[in-house]
C-alpha cells in the first residue's frame, strides 16, 4: 500500500499548491471570499482523497458482509464530510460557495492535468533530448 | 391542525424533494460505477497478487474520477437545501424539483460510465504493467469526457435555480420547467454510459496492444464525441422550454404538450446515446487489434453511428413539434 500513500501525497501536495496559488491570485484582485472558498474546497478534496486511499486496505480485508458495510459507510461518511464546506459557503458571506464547489474538484483537476498535460509535455522533452 | 399551503411552504417542500432525488440518484450511479471498478480490481489482483499496489493505485484514481458527477449532485442538493432564494412565485417550486431531478439523473449515467474505463484500466495494469502510465492517461481522458453529460445537467440545473420565472404564467410554464429538467436529465444517462463503454474498450485495447495507443485514443475521443450529441439535443430542448415565452391558458393540453416534449427528448436521447456508445466500443476494440482495417472500421463506425442517431433526431423533431405546433 506504499504506492497509494505516495500517490495521495503527490496529488495532495499538487492540489494544495494549486489552490494556494489560485487563492493568492484572487487575493491580489481583492476577491477574499473566492480565495477562502477555493482553499476550503481544496482542503476537503485532499482530505477526502486521503480518506479514500487510507480506507482501501481497511475495506478489502475481512469477510464479505463486513467489507460491504465498510464500503457503504465510508461512502456515506465521505459525502457528509464533503457537504461541510458547502454548508459553510452557503451560510457565511465571507466564503464563496461556487469557489468551494470548484475547490472540491481540485484533486480531479490535478490528476487530469498531471496525465493529460504535464505527462505528455515531459515525454516530448525527453524525446527531444 | 391544518397544514398551511402557502407559496413558501410549497417551495420548501419542492426544494427538499428535489435535493433528496438529486443526491439519491447521483449516489446510486456513483456507487455502481465505483463498485464496478472495485470488482474489476479484485479480479485483477486475484490474477496477479504481486501487482496489487499498482492495481490499487489505478483503482483509487479511477474511483476519484467516477465520484466527480456525484459531487456535482452534492453541490446542487446543498444549494436546494440551504439557499433562501428571493422568490415567492409558485413556479419556483417546480423549477427546484426539476433542477434536482435534472442533476440527479445527469449524474447517474456519467458516474456509471466513468466506472467502466477505471475497471478496464485495473485489469489492463495486470496485462501490461509497463504501460501503466499510458493506460492511466487513456482512462482519465475517457473518464473526464464521460462527465460531459453531467456538466450539461448541472448547467441546466443552475439555470432552473437562478433564473427568475415570476413573470411567466403558472400554467403552462410549470410543465415547461419540469419538462426542461427531465429532457436534459434523462438525455444525459445514455451518453454517460455509452461514453464509458467506448473508454472501457480503449483501455482494453491499449493494454492488449500498446503500439496502437495513439489511434485507439483518437477513435475513442471521436466515438465519445458523437455518442454525446444526443445529450446536446436534450440541452437544446431544455433551453427552448426554459426561455420560450408561454401564453397564459386555463387548458391542460398545452401543459401536457410541453411536459411530453421534455419526456420525449429525454427518453429519445437515452437509447441512441447508449447505442452510439456500443457502436464506437466495438470499433475501438477492433482498431486496437488490426492496423490494416483502421480506415474501413472508422468509416463503418461513423455510418453506423449516423444510422443509430436517427431515432434521437426523430425524438428531437417530435419534441419541437410538441413545443411549437401542438
Amino acid at each position: 500500500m506504499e504506492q497509494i500513500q505516495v500517490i495521495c501525497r503527490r496529488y495532495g501536495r499538487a492540489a494544495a499548491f494549486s489552490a494556494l496559488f489560485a487563492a493568492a491570485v484572487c487575493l491580489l484582485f481583492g476577491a477574499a471570499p473566492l480565495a477562502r472558498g477555493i482553499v476550503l474546497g481544496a482542503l476537503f478534496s485532499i482530505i477526502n482523497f486521503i480518506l479514500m486511499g487510507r480506507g482501501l486496505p481497511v475495506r478489502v480485508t475481512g469477510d464479505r458482509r463486513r467489507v460491504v458495510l465498510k464500503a457503504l459507510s465510508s461512502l456515506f461518511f465521505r459525502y457528509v464530510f464533503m457537504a461541510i464546506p458547502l454548508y459553510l459557503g452557503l451560510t457565511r458571506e465571507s466564503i464563496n460557495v461556487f469557489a468551494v464547489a470548484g475547490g472540491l474538484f481540485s484533486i480531479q483537476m490535478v490528476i487530469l492535468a498531471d496525465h493529460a498535460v504535464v505527462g505528455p509535455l515531459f515525454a516530448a522533452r525527453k524525446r527531444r533530448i | 391542525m391544518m397544514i398551511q399551503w402557502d407559496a413558501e411552504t410549497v417551495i420548501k417542500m419542492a426544494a427538499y424533494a428535489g435535493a433528496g432525488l438529486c443526491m439519491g440518484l447521483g449516489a446510486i450511479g456513483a456507487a455502481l460505477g465505483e463498485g464496478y471498478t472495485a470488482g474489476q480490481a479484485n479480479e485483477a489482483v486475484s490474477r496477479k497478487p504481486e501487482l496489487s499496489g499498482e492495481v490499487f493505485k489505478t483503482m483509487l484514481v479511477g474511483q476519484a474520477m467516477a465520484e466527480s458527477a456525484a459531487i456535482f449532485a452534492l453541490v446542487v442538493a446543498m444549494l436546494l437545501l440551504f439557499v433562501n432564494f428571493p422568490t415567492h412565485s409558485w413556479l419556483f417550486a417546480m423549477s427546484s424539483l426539476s433542477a434536482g431531478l435534472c442533476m440527479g439523473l445527469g449524474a447517474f449515467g456519467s458516474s456509471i460510465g466513468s466506472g467502466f474505463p477505471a475497471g478496464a484500466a485495473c485489469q489492463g495494469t495486470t496485462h501490461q504493467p509497463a504501460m501503466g502510465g499510458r493506460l492511466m492517461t487513456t482512462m482519465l481522458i475517457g473518464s473526464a469526457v464521460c462527465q460531459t453529460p453531467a456538466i450539461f445537467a448541472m448547467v441546466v440545473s443552475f439555470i432552473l435555480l437562478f433564473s427568475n420565472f415570476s413573470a411567466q404564467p403558472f400554467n403552462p410554464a410549470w410543465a415547461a420547467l419540469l419538462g426542461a429538467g427531465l429532457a436534459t436529465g434523462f438525455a444525459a444517462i445514455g451518453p454517460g454510459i455509452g461514453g464509458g463503454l467506448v473508454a472501457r474498450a480503449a483501455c482494453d485495447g491499449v493494454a492488449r496492444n500498446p503500439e496502437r495507443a495513439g489511434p485507439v485514443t483518437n477513435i475513442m475521443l471521436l466515438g465519445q464525441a458523437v455518442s454525446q450529441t444526443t445529450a446536446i439535443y436534450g440541452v437544446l430542448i431544455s433551453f427552448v422550454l426554459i426561455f420560450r415565452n408561454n401564453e397564459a391558458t386555463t387548458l391542460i393540453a398545452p401543459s401536457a404538450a410541453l411536459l411530453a416534449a421534455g419526456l420525449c427528448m429525454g427518453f429519445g436521447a437515452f437509447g441512441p446515446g447508449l447505442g452510439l456508445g456500443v457502436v464506437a466500443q466495438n470499433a475501438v476494440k477492433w482498431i486496437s487489434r488490426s492496423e490494416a482495417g483502421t480506415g474501413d472500421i472508422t468509416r463503418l463506425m461513423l455510418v453506423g453511428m449516423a444510422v443509430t442517431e436517427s431515432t434521437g433526431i426523430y425524438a428531437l423533431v417530435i419534441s419541437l413539434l410538441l413545443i411549437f405546433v401542438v
Side-chain angles (χ1 to χ4, degrees), chain B residues 105-201:
Chain B
L105 291 167
F108 181 81
S110 291
S111 300
I112 296 176
S114 296
F116 291 148
C122 289
Q123 291 273 17
T125 305
T126 56
H127 294 306
Q128 295 279 357
M131 286 301 288
R134 179 75 220 207
L135 207 51
M136 184 93 89
T137 305
T138 310
M139 180 261 281
L140 287 170
I141 295 171
S143 260
V145 180
C146 284
Q147 305 295 336
T148 318
I151 296 171
F152 293 160
M154 191 169 72
V155 169
V156 171
S157 296
F158 275 18
I159 292 172
L160 284 166
L161 283 178
F162 294 105
S163 299
N164 187 3
F165 301 109
S166 49
Q168 293 261 1
F170 183 76
N171 195 37
W174 69 269
L177 295 179
L178 189 58
L182 292 171
T184 298
F186 278 119
I189 298 177
I193 301 174
L197 293 175
V198 187
R200 179 174 69 181

Side-chain angles (χ1 to χ4, degrees), chain B residues 13 48 98-99 119 138 152 159 165 173 183 206 249 252 256 272 277 282 291 303 321 326:
Chain B
M13 277 170 59
K48 288 211 176 144
S98 183
T138 310
F152 293 160
I159 292 172
F165 301 109
V206 171
T249 175
I252 197 71
N282 283 292
E291 192 178 347
V303 173
L321 286 174
V326 177

Side-chain angles (χ1 to χ4, degrees), chain A residues 1 3 56 78-79 90 105 108, chain B residues 53-54 56 59 64 67 70:
Chain A
M1 296 300 152
Q3 279 150 306
L56 268 178
R78 284 190 298 106
Y79 281 143
L90 287 163
F105 292 100
Q108 281 88 345
Chain B
E54 281 298 317
F56 278 140
M59 174 180 141
E67 208 171 84

Side-chain angles (χ1 to χ4, degrees), chain A residues 15-93:
Chain A
F17 278 124
S18 312
L20 287 174
F21 178 74
V25 172
C26 289
L27 282 176
L28 271 178
F29 287 97
L34 274 179
R36 281 190 209 106
I38 291 169
V39 171
L40 190 67
L43 180 71
F44 276 76
S45 174
I46 295 164
I47 298 171
N48 177 51
F49 190 60
I50 292 169
L51 285 175
M52 273 176 90
R54 288 277 159 96
L56 268 178
V58 183
R59 271 187 279 156
V60 294
T61 49
D63 63 84
R64 202 180 148 187
R65 258 182 73 186
R66 199 173 285 179
V67 166
V68 171
L69 200 70
K70 278 180 200 167
L72 283 175
S73 52
S74 145
L75 198 71
F76 178 74
F77 171 75
R78 284 190 298 106
Y79 281 143
V80 173
F81 179 75
M82 296 281 268
I84 295 170
L86 288 166
Y87 177 75
L88 291 174
L90 287 163
T91 49
R92 284 158 204 236
E93 278 186 14

Side-chain angles (χ1 to χ4, degrees), chain B residues 243-289:
Chain B
F243 295 113
R244 182 176 178 263
N245 279 326
N246 297 296
E247 282 175 29
T249 175
T250 51
L251 301 171
I252 197 71
S255 307
L258 294 176
L259 185 59
L263 280 170
C264 171
M265 192 63 255
F267 290 136
F270 180 97
L274 197 56
L276 291 166
V278 173
V279 175
Q281 175 194 19
N282 283 292
V284 167
K285 178 180 165 186
W286 293 108
I287 281 170
S288 70
R289 295 179 192 193

Side-chain angles (χ1 to χ4, degrees), chain B residues 24-119:
Chain B
L25 288 164
I28 293 174
L32 287 172
E34 291 185 43
Y36 177 82
T37 310
Q40 295 294 303
N42 281 334
E43 200 181 311
V45 170
S46 71
R47 201 180 302 122
K48 288 211 176 144
E50 68 275 14
L51 289 173
S52 64
E54 281 298 317
V55 173
F56 278 140
K57 193 175 85 178
T58 311
M59 174 180 141
L60 177 65
V61 173
Q63 286 188 322
M65 292 305 290
E67 208 171 84
S68 305
I71 300 175
F72 296 155
L74 180 70
V75 170
V76 172
M78 290 294 287
L79 287 173
L80 282 166
L81 285 178
F82 293 106
V83 171
N84 279 323
F85 294 98
T87 175
H88 292 287
S89 159
W90 285 78
L91 268 179
F92 191 72
M94 202 47 79
S95 67
S96 305
L97 184 65
S98 183
L101 269 170
C102 179
M103 189 63 251
L105 291 167
F108 181 81
S110 291
S111 300
I112 296 176
S114 296
F116 291 148

